[in-house]
Amino acid sequence: MPPPADIVKVAIEWPGAYPKLMEIDQRKPLSAIIKEVCDGWSLANHEYFALQHADSSNFYITEKNRNEIKNGTILRLTTSPAQSAQQLHERIQSSSMDAKLEALKDLASLSRDVTFAQEFINLDGISLLTQMVESGTERYQKLQKIMKPCFGDMLSFTLTAFVELMDHGIVSWDTFSVAFIKKIASFVNKSAIDISILQRSLAILESMVLNSHDLYQKVAQEITIGQLIPHLQGTDQEIQTYTIAVINALFLKAPDERRQEMANILAQKQLRSIILTHVIRAQRAINNEMAHQLYVLQVLTFNLLEDRMMTKMDPQDQAQRDIIFELRRIAFDAESEPSNSSGSMEKRKSMYTRDYKKLGFINHVNPAMDFTQTPPGMLALDNMLYFAKHHQDAYIRIVLENSSREDKHECPFGRSSIELTKMLCEILKVGELPSETCNDFHPMFFTHDRSFEEFFCICIQLLNKTWKEMRATSEDFNKVMQVVKEQVMRALTTKPSSLDQFKSKLQNLSYTEILKIRQSERMNQEDFQSRPILELKEKIQPEILELIKQQRLNRLVEGTCFRKLNARRRQDKFWYCRLSPNHKVLHYGDLEESPQGEVPHDSLQDKLPVADIKAVVTGKDCPHMKEKGALKQNKEVLELAFSILYDSNCQLNFIAPDKHEYCIWTDGLNALLGKDMMSDLTRNDLDTLLSMEIKLRLLDLENIQIPDAPPPIPKEPSNYDFVYDCN
């Protein structure tokens, strides 16, 4: 007979004694269970004791999390959080350096636990730590020379404890003094400082900037970009990551009027070329967090274009009209303007109108009207002028080529530039805030100070080339734009390392090649509409769905590593979840780092029987998406979130690493619950497999035996003399 659901069998340790095996009744108050354990070892004052996990987390057991205790869990009897907090509060003020160091080390470890953190904060522990950072450094200044390692460790543990305590979100960041900020900034500004101290100081500065507007202003006064740059030129990727994170935070929180000024400073300090040399092209792989910070920097840099993108042209503004005159002058190399004495005003207007038509503007009389739509607004005109000045030969060639064609076959440069700028802004999501989870940065945008303008210059030449290949007329304008968008998107997915490489990728994606790709995809997704074919599809669809279901369940059996998102994204905490081979139990547990390959079932301590699952919810319906926090606002995180609801008010919350894994898991869980698999991935797989199966069944295979197993690979020939090198 199985044990009652409320009874959990555990082992409990106590230093100097044999571990106890006992059954915990989850219906009893936790204090009664602790008293029972203490009585077993003849320990008085049970209220001074608590239970905690004996694994590396050492987290305390509370009434809130006691339901997480599973059969076979090893617990440890220890001093209560309040007692531990009181003792550490006293120990870190010890006059003995060794005792103080040991106490700070313990505090840094225990502060990860929210129960302990709350007790320590209640004792005004945060203020004590900030005072130690502000004044303690001077007090031990004289000891640095003889006790430098000890001093460095002490400060490192103090800052680590501070970071961990603040991560729980119990205390507001607005409470810190200017003296504390100056002290943290001084650690970052020093040329020679312990790596761990530098790392934590950068983390603190980033959190200050992101969590408080007042602190942003104070930090911005203490830290300059020039002081951060040297940390990017080192070899420690984690320090580089934290440094870019601080720059991103300062960039993100800067008032609109200061962002362009900050961008100019970044350009002066050659931030882009330093990142390109020391980070992107360094002889080591870029980890996920670094990729995320580079993506954020890329987004924030492109977002500087938003102001111009949303600015309409003022037809009465002479400076703006002069830009259009300059485009005309460069294209047609016009002689000095005729004076009133040598020609009438009507003649000049007629000449301008003719030239503006050749330039491809929609409004030939007043081309300024073409730039009143936002987006792309004035950004399109900026791009056109950049192209005309920095790629003058290509600009003149495109304009003159099209002005010499028949009207219906000319590719209008003005209209094309405006629509292309709008399209590129959509592709790069100019004006949108960076996603919490995206790592999609493009190395090529870090190879040029005017990368967006250069990107435009490559694409406008591509558009002209594609127009000629398609032999397009003005009626085909939208079709050409669709093809160009596909060419650009396909080239970007290959992540070219430079703009030249991007250009060469586009060379291989000619209109003919795009047609071949489209035809291939159309054949794969071809939908036969004749009645016999539809009947055949209906007949074989259940088999295909069963095949997809088995694939989803097999993937759940393999398992997936998920990431826990918290306030400070870089402190990645991972957990793994997988389905048992008999499809009856979900095994899950925390991991120290992202695993290489599968994680065995026996290393995942927590279990959830599939029979206990009540429902699977997604997006805004997930409990962890309803909680207060930054993630709630993020559309991309919402699209990757799902939760398993079980028992009464219990849930297992997930944020999938990508859309593919999200579809795999939601499909697999719905299949386990006997529900339909409704994801986009299932629809695509069903269409692809149905199409393949129908084509196979329609082949003329009479009297042809199809083997169940693939034929053996033939042996290698004795020589390769028959090979002919075409080169």
Side-chain angles (χ1 to χ4, degrees), residues 483-594:
V483 173
V484 169
K485 184 172 185 177
E486 188 172 344
Q487 290 170 314
V488 172
M489 293 290 283
R490 288 185 183 276
L492 282 177
T493 55
T494 64
K495 292 292 178 75
S497 60
S498 67
L499 290 163
D500 286 338
Q501 197 177 86
F502 174 68
K503 201 183 297 183
S504 66
K505 296 279 185 190
L506 290 175
Q507 290 293 334
N508 297 329
L509 284 169
S510 63
Y511 176 58
T512 308
E513 186 62 28
I514 291 292
L515 283 180
K516 287 179 183 175
I517 293 170
R518 284 181 174 181
Q519 186 178 4
S520 173
E521 290 176 351
R522 197 178 299 118
M523 285 176 66
N524 290 336
Q525 298 173 2
E526 197 169 21
D527 189 15
F528 302 102
Q529 295 299 323
S530 65
R531 186 174 174 181
I533 299 299
L534 291 174
E535 288 177 358
L536 179 59
K537 281 178 70 175
E538 192 175 333
K539 182 181 177 182
I540 63 178
Q541 184 165 316
E543 300 173 29
I544 302 296
L545 282 171
E546 183 61 28
L547 190 66
I548 294 171
K549 175 183 172 182
Q550 290 306 316
Q551 187 271 340
R552 300 293 192 264
L553 294 176
N554 289 341
R555 280 287 290 105
L556 263 61
V557 170
E558 290 175 21
T560 301
C561 178
F562 297 94
R563 185 168 54 81
K564 293 182 177 180
L565 283 181
N566 56 16
R568 287 173 57 255
R569 188 182 184 280
R570 272 176 321 290
Q571 277 205 332
D572 278 330
K573 294 178 181 178
F574 299 96
W575 67 289
Y576 201 87
C577 188
R578 61 182 300 185
L579 182 65
S580 62
N582 62 6
H583 300 173
K584 291 187 176 180
V585 179
L586 282 171
H587 298 262
Y588 62 96
D590 292 344
L591 301 174
E592 292 298 322
E593 56 185 5
S594 183

Side-chain angles (χ1 to χ4, degrees), residues 575 577 586 588 608 624 642-646 650-654:
W575 67 289
C577 188
L586 282 171
Y588 62 96
L608 172 60
H624 59 314
F642 62 99
S643 297
I644 295 173
L645 308 182
Y646 64 97
C650 293
Q651 68 266 341
L652 193 59
N653 297 322
F654 299 75

Side-chain angles (χ1 to χ4, degrees), residues 132-144:
M132 289 172 65
V133 172
E134 289 173 25
S135 60
T137 47
E138 280 89 3
R139 193 184 308 162
Y140 296 113
Q141 208 98 42
K142 296 175 183 177
L143 297 172
Q144 268 191 275

Side-chain angles (χ1 to χ4, degrees), residues 707-711:
D708 294 328

Side-chain angles (χ1 to χ4, degrees), residues 671-684:
L672 285 173
L673 298 178
K675 296 181 179 179
D676 291 338
M677 299 178 291
M678 304 296 292
S679 75
D680 294 339
L681 185 63
T682 292
R683 282 196 290 273
N684 292 339

